[in-house]
Every structure is written in structure tokens, then in C-alpha cells.
């Protein structure tokens, strides 16, 4: 996809208009530093759905009550969305809690956790808390999970982030399906679909429908990315009901508050917000990739709301240089020390990034 400067200017105007939408404020919250462009955490730069904001505003009156009813309602909504029963759904304080529960329930000093390298690292910390070894398997030449090497004997958990963070790449659906058919039943496969909504490749497919037929499969989803609720912390797991029971036995009660529960429900119902978020992200990402490639840099094909740029030199000074110029980008990933991860922000933010990158 190629965009003219005029087309990008139109996107810029649309982004500015979206950013200017009034958001109800109940308290005087200091705004972030106006000079700082945050492109470091794969957040949604447009914020949550207006419907989610309204739902939270209308819920303050029941803040004195425990969120039992709201937990049941959100669980039922998610079950309907995926065509499963409510006892095949487990809510979490972000998908990070789901990763923690899987590591706690299925890894141990004698049962390792297997991950790609690089990938999202939080499960590494949770595995270490369980005393489990962590086995890292480099991504293949296409930046997909090398699944043929990711099921060693005795593994407790295989973690597959698809699309993958930090590369933005996908593991093809045929490879993942074949892997799920071959992995030992004693090994739990955790597929993290945090960036599911952004994926448009014909080779990508969610494995959520397989939880009914694969008793050793857990699928994690989050409301932090396209739904724009990263600061509220909401996620969930889909799995066989016996797996859900085991995960629940490791869970603290009421880790999600009433505000995030109603916001998540409203977000699921606002399908137009998701479609618009996908469109804006794809258009801005395409322009950024075009400009970066024009500067002479390669970009790993991305199905997410971030890109990984091959700088061909040590990325640490670039990260530091951008920070001093008011642009926060992704951290160093040791497996790819010459690659820079950049979140796709608003068109205005990406214009600032491109200017700083060009200057550097």
C-alpha cells in the first residue's frame, strides 16, 4: 500500500480530529508532558471507545459493591463472542495475569517453559518464580516461531505469541495447527493473541475455536491493545473447562474492578470502534514503512500496531538519542540488537518520529 503526502495529510487530519474528541473528566488529572511522544509500549494512541468511557462514568454509583454481577456479565459476553460456555472463560487483570496463572499451574522445576527468542518476556519472570527452566528457541528466517524445535520432552508450557511481540510477525496457521496436533497432551500450549485484531495476513488465523477440541490449549486475549484499556488491565483466557478450573485455583479473587469490567463490556459491543482502529493503524503503518524504507532501512513485515526496523547498527544509542528529542521508542531486545521497535501512534506522532529518525 502506497500513500501520497496528500493522503497522509488527510490521515493526519483525521487523527487530529479523533484525538480532539472530548473525554469526560471527573478529576483534575495532570496531562502527560506535551513534548513526549510515547511509541514504546504498543498502546492505542486514540484511547478507549467513547462507549467504554461513558460506561465507567455511569458506574461510579456502584463502586461500593463487589463486582460479582459484572464479572458474570463480561464472562457471558466473551463466551457468546467465542461460542463457548462461560466455564471455558477466565477473566484476568490483563492477559499478563493469564500468563502468570499458566506458568504457576503448569511449570515447575521439572517442567520447563519454552518460548521463542525474541518474544514477549513476562512469562519468563513467572516461570522463574515457579522454579522452572526457560528454553529459548530462536525465530526462523521468516521471523515465525520455529515450532519444530519448541516441544522438548517434559516441557510444561510452550508459549506462542501470535502475532509476535516484538517482531510484529505471524506464525502461519498451517504450521500452528500442525504443531497443536503433534504436541504431547502433557504439554500445555499457551497462544497469546494480544494483537489478534490487527492481523490481516491470509496466513494468520486465531486458534481460539480449537479450545473445545484441544484440552492442552489456552488462548489469551487482552483489552490493552485495540480496545485502548491498557491502563485499566483487562484480559481473559479461553480453555477447556478443566483447565479453567485449574487456572482459577491459582487465581486471586476479584483482580478486576467494576470500572474495567463495564468498560470491557462496552468495548466488545462497540464493533465500529475496533474496525476504525484497525483501519487507522493500517493506513498510518503503511505510510511509516514507506518512509522508513525510503531512508534505506528494512522493516520486518508487521501484522500489529508496531514495526521492527532493521538499523544495521547498535540500537541503544538510537533509543537514547530519540529519548533526548522527546520520542520514546521500544527497548533493546538482546536477540535483535540492531532492530528498533516503534509503536504506531497517531499520524502526528509518527510524523514527529520520522523527523527525529531522519535527523539522527
Amino acid at each position: 500500500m502506497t500513500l501520497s503526502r496528500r493522503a497522509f495529510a488527510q490521515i493526519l487530519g483525521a487523527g487530529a480530529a479523533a484525538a480532539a474528541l472530548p473525554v469526560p473528566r471527573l478529576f483534575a488529572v495532570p496531562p502527560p508532558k506535551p513534548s513526549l511522544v510515547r511509541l514504546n509500549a504498543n498502546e492505542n494512541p486514540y484511547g478507549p471507545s467513547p462507549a467504554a468511557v461513558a460506561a465507567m462514568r455511569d458506574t461510579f454509583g456502584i463502586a461500593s459493591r463487589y463486582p460479582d454481577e459484572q464479572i458474570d456479565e463480561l464472562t457471558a459476553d466473551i463466551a457468546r463472542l467465542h461460542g463457548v460456555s462461560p466455564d471455558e472463560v477466565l477473566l484476568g487483570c490483563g492477559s499478563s495475569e493469564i500468563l502468570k496463572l499458566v506458568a504457576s499451574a503448569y511449570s515447575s522445576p521439572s517442567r520447563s517453559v519454552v518460548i521463542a527468542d525474541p518474544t514477549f518476556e513476562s512469562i519468563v519472570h513467572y516461570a522463574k518464580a515457579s522454579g522452572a527452566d526457560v528454553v529459548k528457541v530462536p525465530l526462523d528466517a521468516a521471523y515465525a516461531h520455529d515450532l519444530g524445535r519448541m516441544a522438548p520432552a517434559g516441557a510444561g508450557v510452550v508459549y506462542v505469541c501470535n502475532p509476535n511481540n516484538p517482531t510484529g510477525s505471524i506464525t502461519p496457521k498451517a504450521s500452528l495447527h500442525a504443531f497443536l496436533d503433534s504436541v504431547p497432551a502433557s504439554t500445555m500450549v499457551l497462544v497469546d493473541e494480544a494483537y489478534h485484531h490487527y492481523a490481516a495476513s491470509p496466513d494468520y488465523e486465531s486458534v481460539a475455536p480449537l479450545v473445545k477440541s484441544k484440552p492442552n490449549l489456552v488462548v489469551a486475549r487482552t483489552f490493552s491493545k485495540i480496545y485502548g484499556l491498557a491502563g485499566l488491565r483487562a484480559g481473559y483466557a479461553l480453555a477447556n473447562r478443566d483447565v479453567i478450573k485449574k487456572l482459577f485455583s491459582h487465581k486471586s479473587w476479584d483482580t478486576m474492578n467494576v470500572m474495567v469490567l463495564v468498560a470491557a463490556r462496552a468495548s466488545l459491543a462497540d464493533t465500529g470502534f475496533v474496525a476504525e482502529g484497525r483501519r487507522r493503524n493500517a493506513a498510518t503503518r503503511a505510510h511509516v514503512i514507506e518512509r522508513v524504507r525510503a531512508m534505506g532501512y528494512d522493516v520486518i513485515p508487521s501484522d500489529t500496531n508496531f514495526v521492527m526496523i532493521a538499523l544495521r547498527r547498535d540500537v541503544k544509542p538510537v533509543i537514547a538519542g530519540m529519548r533526548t528529542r522527546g520520542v520514546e521508542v521500544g527497548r533493546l531486545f538482546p536477540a535483535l540488537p540492531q532492530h528498533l521497535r516503534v509503536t504506531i501512534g497517531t499520524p502526528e506522532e509518527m510524523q514527529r518520529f520520522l523527523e527525529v529518525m531522519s535527523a539522527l
Side-chain angles (χ1 to χ4, degrees):
M1 178 179 181
T2 301
L3 296 178
S4 66
R5 291 181 181 275
R6 181 177 179 181
F8 187 61
Q10 292 173 344
I11 298 171
L12 187 68
L21 287 174
V23 176
R25 288 187 177 275
L26 299 176
F27 308 102
V29 179
K33 295 179 181 178
S35 60
L36 182 66
V37 175
R38 288 182 51 165
L39 306 175
N40 62 328
N42 304 340
E43 298 156 332
N44 185 335
Y46 300 100
S49 159
V53 175
M56 289 186 285
R57 180 191 60 222
D58 296 342
T59 301
F60 273 92
I62 61 169
S64 60
R65 303 294 184 183
Y66 288 109
D68 299 337
E69 292 177 11
Q70 290 73 31
I71 289 172
D72 290 344
E73 289 168 348
L74 178 57
T75 300
D77 286 353
I78 293 169
R80 280 191 294 271
L81 174 66
H82 292 285
V84 299
S85 63
D87 57 1
E88 293 170 314
V89 177
L90 181 65
L91 303 183
C93 183
S95 57
S96 295
E97 184 179 15
I98 303 305
L99 272 57
K100 185 180 189 302
L101 294 174
V102 172
S104 177
Y106 292 99
S107 71
S108 67
S110 62
R111 305 194 71 201
S112 62
V113 171
V114 184
I115 66 169
D117 191 23
T119 196
F120 185 52
E121 311 99 323
S122 74
I123 197 167
V124 173
H125 303 285
Y126 306 141
K128 289 180 178 178
S130 297
D133 290 332
V134 176
V135 179
K136 296 183 178 182
V137 178
L139 296 171
D140 67 19
Y143 298 100
H145 286 68
D146 193 348
L147 295 172
R149 300 171 55 200
M150 290 188 69
V157 179
V158 177
Y159 173 71
V160 178
C161 187
N162 193 34
N164 188 47
N165 179 15
T167 54
S169 50
I170 63 161
T171 296
K173 57 188 178 185
S175 299
L176 189 50
H177 281 228
F179 177 74
L180 292 172
D181 287 339
S182 65
V183 71
S186 59
T187 297
M188 187 61 59
V189 180
L190 170 57
V191 179
D192 185 344
E193 296 186 347
Y195 300 96
H196 159 77
H197 297 92
Y198 294 108
S201 168
D203 279 335
Y204 170 81
E205 187 174 84
S206 169
V207 294
L210 300 182
V211 296
K212 282 186 168 294
S213 59
K214 303 290 183 185
N216 61 333
L217 172 64
V218 177
V219 175
R221 290 279 186 93
T222 185
F223 288 87
S224 295
K225 306 304 176 185
I226 206 162
Y227 293 113
L229 300 181
L232 288 174
R233 314 308 301 130
Y236 61 91
L238 303 171
N240 174 281
R241 56 176 52 87
D242 291 334
V243 172
I244 293 295
K245 286 180 181 178
K246 185 167 183 176
L247 296 178
F248 184 78
S249 70
H250 290 260
K251 191 181 187 304
S252 299
W253 286 11
D254 294 342
T255 57
M256 294 172 68
N257 62 67
V258 68
M259 297 303 172
V260 70
L261 290 164
V262 298
R265 287 196 76 204
S267 297
L268 286 179
D270 191 354
T271 56
F273 178 80
V274 171
E276 178 64 9
R278 185 186 298 115
R279 184 199 66 79
R280 286 188 297 202
N281 178 78
T284 307
R285 182 183 64 201
H287 180 80
V288 170
I289 291 173
E290 180 184 354
R291 290 282 303 276
V292 168
R293 286 177 173 161
M295 295 180 194
Y297 299 106
D298 291 330
V299 180
I300 297 174
S302 172
D303 271 85
T304 59
N305 64 336
F306 58 89
V307 292
M308 198 72 155
I309 304 168
L311 297 181
R312 301 186 302 278
R313 64 187 176 105
D314 185 3
V315 74
K316 289 186 290 184
V318 179
I319 294 171
M322 288 195 166
R323 186 181 299 116
T324 63
R325 291 163 174 80
V327 177
E328 290 272 3
V329 291
R331 60 195 180 279
L332 166 70
F333 293 90
L336 294 173
Q338 296 187 341
H339 283 71
L340 180 69
R341 192 191 71 181
V342 183
T343 301
I344 301 300
T346 64
E348 304 99 313
E349 291 171 335
M350 301 319 295
Q351 184 63 32
R352 175 79 175 279
F353 160 75
L354 291 167
E355 291 168 357
V356 170
M357 184 170 179
S358 180
L360 283 174

